[in-house]
Amino acid sequence: MSTSKMKVEGPLTGKVSIRNVTKVYDPDGANVVALEQFSMEVPAGDFIAIVGPSGCGKSTLLNILAGFDTLSQGEVYLDEEPLALVNKPALPGPSRVVVFQQGALFPWKTVLENVTYGLLKQRVMGKSDAEAKAMDLLARSGNLEKIGGLYPNQLSSGMQRRVEILRALINDPKILLLDEPFRAMDTVNKNTMHQHLLKIYQDNPKTIMFITHDLEEALFLADRVIVMTTRPGTLKLDIKVNLPRPRRREMMASKEYLNLRQQTISAVREEAKKAFERGERELA
Ligand code: ADP
């Protein structure tokens, strides 16, 4: 781990062990094997990006961790404690929060009300403490305290996404699960979001699992990029991104980066080709 991530005192939590996870969806006997014997260890505080062809089981994996879906075989541990087992699937809970591509802010609540919602709902603290904590978090994320009184529809989509990430972080989860959060954005907005997310991560290094189709995004943000095979999804390649933090765009011209990019592109292309050929066979 780079020294720039060492600001937080005490041991980090959020170690995830995914062991031989298989997931079969069987609506009307369709028997879709989404994940097969998928295993991966995520050290506490690591930023992991997961890439792979569409339909390879990325969201399924995140949903199992979040507690939105069950697993058919295998086990998942969080800090050595069972999180999801076949007979005891994970339930949604404050240790894991998900931010999706589609915004999920309450449109009828202000930014401040949205950000404090979880703390107040779970009675973690009183209103004035929650508001002070939210304002502090907003202020540290590029002067967002100024927008505390605004409603989501008064914000740009990038701003909405930043508020959503802060709303997730204020509950101090052990893992932040991000499912293509910047997918719909243009390159300029996306790059700005990357800087904000990296700043948030640097100030508050939590375990992050980030699903994306965008390989450049994966390499720019993560400590490791996991390439999944086409369905049934399993681990194809585990690429360590040994690029210094803080990350800068200029780094994308470096030899190291270009090597990693080439490796990732080749692996994903190989799997996308298999997925395409299977689609052709299934249509034939
Ligand atoms: P990805 O996120 O990589 O695009 P998903 O995890 O969404 O992939 O889906 C993996 C596979 O499981 C796909 O073939 C998808 O059609 C199937 N699948 C996902 N959810 C369900 C469900 N609720 N019922 C049946 N099949 C599903």
Side-chain angles (χ1 to χ4, degrees), residues 25-27 32 34 52-61 69 211 213 231:
Y25 290 107
D26 197 21
V32 175
S54 201
C56 75
K58 302 182 290 298
S59 297
T60 299
L61 182 66
D69 216 332
I211 290 183
H213 269 86
R231 189 167 60 77

Side-chain angles (χ1 to χ4, degrees), residues 25-58:
Y25 290 107
D26 197 21
D28 309 319
N31 205 41
V32 175
V33 185
L35 293 170
E36 191 169 51
Q37 298 282 314
F38 183 92
S39 296
M40 164 165 103
E41 291 289 319
V42 182
D46 261 23
F47 193 138
I48 307 285
I50 302 176
V51 301
S54 201
C56 75
K58 302 182 290 298

Side-chain angles (χ1 to χ4, degrees), residues 103 105 216 244:
L105 293 173
E216 306 263 4

